[in-house]
Amino acid sequence: MRLKTDILVIGSGIAGLSFALKAAKYAKVLIVTKKDQAESNTNYAQGGIATVTSPDDSYDLHIKDTLECGAGLCHTGAVEQIVKNGPHLIGELIELGVNFSREQGKLDLGREGGHSRKRIVHAKDLTGREIERALLHNIGINKNITVLEHHTAIDLITEHNITGIKSRKNKTCFGAYAYDEINDEIKTIISKLTVICTGGIGQVYLHTTNPAIATGDGIAIGYRSGCRIGNMEFVQFHPTSLYENKVTTGEAQSFLISEALRGAGAVLKTPDGAEFMFKYDSRGSLAPRDIVARAIDSEMKKHGIDFVYLDITALGKNAIKNKFPYIYKKCLSIGIDIAKDMIPVVPAAHYSCGGIVCDLNGRTSLGSLFVLGEASMTGVHGANRLASNSLLEALVFADKAARVCKSEIKSSAALPVGKIPDWDSSGTDNTEEWILISQNKNEIKQIMSNYVGIVRSNLRLHRALRRIKLIKDEIETFYKKTSVNRELLELRNMAQITYMIIRSALMRKESRGLHYSTDYPEQKRSFLKDTIITNETVK
Ligand code: SIN
C-alpha cells in the first residue's frame, strides 16, 4: 500500500506528539508508532520538566547547572534555547490540559541531582503519563492528524531507492517504508518532510528503565541513510531502578525509582545502613547521575552485593503517599512498604545523550529530515544529561522544528512520487529459525552490560566489539533472506546501535561525563569535542 502525506512523524512520545499538534495547523501529519500510541519513553517519565518558574531561580543558574553536568561538551546555544523557552511552553502544556502538581495554587517544584534550585515541574510521580494523556486527547480530535499504530519504520526513502534520480552527496528524504504488523504488509509512505522521534536505546542493556520499544530504531535508520551520528558513547545510567532480579523474571523493563525521591531527602545506603555518597561527592545522594551511578557500582563491587538501598522513610508515610503514589504502590505490590523499609536499587540504562546530529531547529544532515527528542543529538546534554532536561529539550526543539517546517513545506520541490518504488522483498522468505532473534537479543544485552556499562576499559570494549561485529554480520545475513517483522527489525537496529556505542567509546580516549575508562581516567583537552560517526566512517 502507498500513502502520501505532508509530514511523516515516526514515534509518539512528547517530541512527536507536540510537534504534530503544531504542524497540523498548516499541514497534513501522519504519525506512525510501533505499538499503541501511548507506548513511548515519555509515558514512563516520572520526574518532570526542569524549568525556571520560581523567583529564587534564574535562567543563568539553570544554564550553569546544565553546562556543569554536561562536562564541557554542551553546546551553549542549544542550552540557552531550551532554558529560555521552557516557561512559555510549560504554559502551553497547561493550556492543552496537562495537570501539573500544585501547592497552594502554585506549581509544586521538585529537585533532582545536579540542580542548584527546586525547578522540576511535575505531575506527582507520573509526569510523562499525564503529558501523553493530554497530548493524545488533542491529537485524537485533530482532523489533520492520522495515527497508525503497530507500524514499525524500516528505512528512509532517499535518492538511493530511486532509479533515474542521481544520488547526490546531500541526500533528500522522501518518507519511509514501514512494516504494518496487523496486516503483515510493508507500506510506502511518501512525505514532503519526515521527523524521527523514536526515543532511546535502553533495550540494548539487560537492566533498563526504558520500555521494550526503546531499541534505537530512529538512530539506526538515520545512520543507514548517511546521517551524522554524535556522542553515542554517552549512555546515562539512572542510579536507582528497583532491584527485582529481572534476569530471572526475564522482563524487558526495570521499574524506575525517581530521582525526585532523593530530591525529597532520600539517601543511599549500603546494606549495613551506612550512608556512602559523601565519600564520593560533597552533594551526597543529590550529586549528578554519572557520579552517583559510579559510586553505587563501586560500592556493589567492594561489598560483593547486587544492589544498594535507598532510604526515604524519614519523609513520613503521608508525604510519601501524596508525592509518590505510583512508586509507593508498585513497591508495596512486591512487599516493600517504602514508608518503613529501605528500597533495593541498582543502576539501569536510562538515556542516550547521543543520537542523530541536528541544528537548533532539529534539522539533520539529510534534506527534508528532522529529528527530535532522545533520538537527536542537539548538543543540549553534552557528556551527561542534567535530570529532567530531556522533556524540556523535546518540547522546545519540537516547537522550533514546527516553525521552520512551515516555510520548508511551502518551498519544497514536487515529490518524485511515480519514481519511488515499493519495498522489494524478493529473495526473502519466512524462516523457521525465529528463536535466533531472541537468542541474539539476549547475547547483545549480555555483552553490553558486561563490557560497555558504567566503567569501561580498552580490553572490555575490544572484547565487546569483536563479539558484536560477529553478531551484527550474522543478523545482516539473516535479514537479507528473511521476510521482515518487528522483532527482526528491532534486532537489526539494536546490533547497529551497540556497534555505534562501542566504536564511539573506543574513539574517546579519556574519561568525561558518562564515559569512564580505567585506561584513561583523566579528562583531556584534546577530547573537548563531540564524537561524530557516519556509515562511511564507521562501517
Ligand atoms: C527520574 O524521575 O529520576 C527521571 C528523570 C529524568 O531522567 O530526567
Side-chain angles (χ1 to χ4, degrees):
M1 185 193 270
R2 288 167 82 84
L3 301 172
K4 207 171 148 245
T5 184
D6 292 329
I7 306 183
L8 168 64
V9 173
I10 308 173
S12 61
I14 185 172
L17 298 182
S18 61
F19 170 86
L21 278 176
K22 292 183 174 185
K25 294 191 177 130
Y26 55 80
K28 291 271 180 211
V29 181
L30 175 66
I31 302 176
V32 295
T33 187
K34 255 197 323 191
K35 292 225 170 149
D36 54 49
Q37 53 188 355
E39 188 62 359
S40 62
N41 270 8
T42 303
N43 198 41
Y44 296 88
Q46 294 178 359
I49 308 181
T51 321
V52 175
T53 57
S54 116
D56 80 330
D57 199 1
S58 69
Y59 290 155
D60 283 349
L61 281 174
H62 188 180
I63 291 168
K64 184 168 170 282
D65 292 346
T66 305
L67 296 180
E68 232 171 76
C69 194
L73 289 194
C74 297
H75 300 190
T76 312
V79 174
E80 284 175 1
Q81 171 164 292
I82 64 155
V83 168
K84 293 181 179 170
N85 283 288
H88 85 264
L89 291 175
I90 289 288
E92 279 187 10
L93 283 182
I94 294 170
E95 268 170 41
L96 277 178
V98 177
N99 287 311
F100 290 116
S101 295
R102 291 182 179 269
E103 225 156 59
Q104 290 159 358
K106 289 204 182 116
L107 288 170
D108 177 36
L109 301 178
R111 185 157 173 202
E112 291 176 358
H115 287 277
S116 58
R117 292 287 184 279
K118 280 178 136 194
R119 62 168 75 100
I120 316 298
V121 178
H122 61 103
K124 293 203 185 273
D125 54 356
L126 275 173
T127 310
R129 192 171 297 181
E130 171 58 13
I131 295 171
E132 283 274 315
R133 181 200 62 71
L135 291 176
L136 284 172
H137 170 75
N138 287 280
I139 294 271
I141 54 177
N142 193 310
K143 291 202 167 53
N144 269 349
I145 304 176
T146 308
V147 183
L148 294 180
E149 298 181 321
H150 305 287
H151 280 64
T152 307
I154 305 175
D155 267 318
L156 299 174
I157 303 170
T158 64
E159 285 91 347
H160 170 81
N161 305 92
I162 306 173
T163 38
I165 296 193
K166 252 181 110 189
S167 190
R168 284 172 282 153
K169 191 160 185 333
N170 294 323
K171 285 197 270 180
T172 309
C173 175
F174 302 115
Y177 296 108
Y179 173 66
D180 170 352
E181 206 173 326
I182 305 294
N183 297 303
D184 191 24
E185 68 166 343
I186 294 170
K187 290 186 174 138
T188 306
I189 306 177
I190 300 166
S191 57
K192 291 181 186 154
L193 301 176
T194 301
V195 191
I196 291 179
C197 314
T198 44
I201 56 98
Q203 285 298 328
V204 303
Y205 287 92
L206 272 178
H207 296 287
T208 176
T209 61
N210 295 180
I213 52 143
T215 49
D217 303 342
I219 303 174
I221 287 170
Y223 169 78
R224 289 197 290 273
S225 292
C227 288
R228 298 171 77 229
I229 310 290
N231 289 352
M232 291 301 287
E233 68 273 36
F234 298 120
V235 177
Q236 184 169 72
F237 284 77
H238 196 290
T240 59
S241 78
L242 182 63
Y243 177 79
E244 287 186 89
N245 201 353
K246 291 286 175 192
V247 182
T248 50
T249 59
E251 278 177 42
Q253 185 179 8
S254 303
F255 184 81
L256 178 67
I257 302 293
S258 175
E259 195 156 308
L261 269 75
R262 279 177 284 136
V267 285
L268 287 157
K269 295 181 173 175
T270 40
D272 57 3
E275 219 178 310
F276 59 83
M277 268 313 300
F278 284 104
K279 280 192 293 184
Y280 297 89
D281 194 283
S282 60
R283 289 162 287 189
S285 292
L286 261 189
R289 284 185 189 167
D290 56 331
I291 296 170
V292 181
R294 268 200 303 279
I296 295 176
D297 188 67
S298 149
E299 291 293 316
M300 282 171 28
K301 284 180 180 147
K302 203 170 351 171
H303 296 277
I305 48 181
D306 289 336
F307 54 84
V308 295
Y309 283 108
L310 183 68
D311 186 355
I312 181 84
T313 53
L315 188 63
K317 188 164 185 152
N318 284 345
I320 290 173
K321 282 177 80 174
N322 180 36
K323 280 186 182 300
F324 308 112
Y326 180 54
I327 295 170
Y328 179 79
K329 222 167 122 192
K330 165 70 189 179
C331 291
L332 206 56
S333 77
I334 57 164
I336 303 166
D337 178 352
I338 68 171
K340 290 198 286 212
D341 308 323
M342 296 198 290
I343 313 167
V345 291
V346 66
H350 184 60
Y351 191 86
S352 169
C353 294
I356 302 175
V357 176
C358 67
D359 69 8
L360 289 177
N361 296 311
R363 204 192 298 270
T364 72
S365 52
L366 213 69
S368 304
L369 180 72
F370 289 74
V371 63
L372 299 171
E374 194 172 342
S376 68
M377 201 292 272
T378 62
V380 163
H381 307 305
N384 184 21
R385 179 183 66 107
L386 183 66
S388 285
N389 261 357
S390 43
L391 295 183
L392 176 65
E393 178 200 44
L395 267 184
V396 172
F397 276 77
D399 181 65
K400 293 283 166 195
R403 287 168 202 266
V404 299
C405 284
K406 187 172 181 182
S407 44
E408 198 130 323
I409 280 268
K410 278 194 198 132
S411 62
S412 62
L415 286 163
V417 177
K419 293 185 175 155
I420 293 175
D422 285 336
W423 182 255
D424 180 7
S425 52
S426 54
T428 64
D429 211 343
N430 244 318
T431 177
E432 282 164 17
E433 294 280 31
W434 289 120
I435 184 70
L436 294 178
I437 293 185
S438 58
Q439 284 169 347
N440 276 163
K441 247 187 199 177
N442 290 338
E443 270 179 280
I444 288 174
K445 283 168 179 273
Q446 289 284 359
I447 292 167
M448 291 303 286
S449 298
N450 289 341
Y451 307 129
V452 199
I454 295 170
V455 175
R456 300 163 178 177
S457 69
N458 281 340
L459 183 81
R460 283 164 180 263
L461 290 175
H462 279 293
R463 185 175 274 215
L465 186 68
R466 280 193 300 275
R467 285 157 172 71
I468 287 291
K469 197 164 170 353
L470 183 72
I471 295 172
K472 185 169 90 61
D473 291 347
E474 281 173 4
I475 293 170
E476 211 51 40
T477 309
F478 185 73
Y479 175 80
K480 286 198 178 115
K481 53 180 199 193
T482 310
S483 337
V484 296
N485 66 13
R486 179 172 51 77
E487 285 83 1
L488 178 55
L489 294 169
E490 289 178 340
L491 177 68
R492 181 181 186 223
N493 292 335
M494 285 169 72
Q496 287 181 349
I497 291 291
T498 55
Y499 194 65
M500 285 184 248
I501 295 174
I502 300 166
R503 292 299 300 255
S504 303
L506 279 166
M507 285 164 77
R508 186 166 290 282
K509 298 186 190 318
E510 64 158 357
S511 289
R512 183 185 297 277
L514 300 163
H515 174 71
Y516 184 83
S517 163
T518 51
D519 293 301
Y520 315 105
E522 310 293 335
Q523 251 185 38
K524 294 184 189 158
R525 280 189 70 79
S526 53
F527 282 97
L528 204 51
K529 58 183 182 204
D530 296 322
T531 307
I532 304 293
I533 55 173
T534 66
N535 64 353
E536 308 254 292
T537 58
V538 170
K539 283 271 179 222

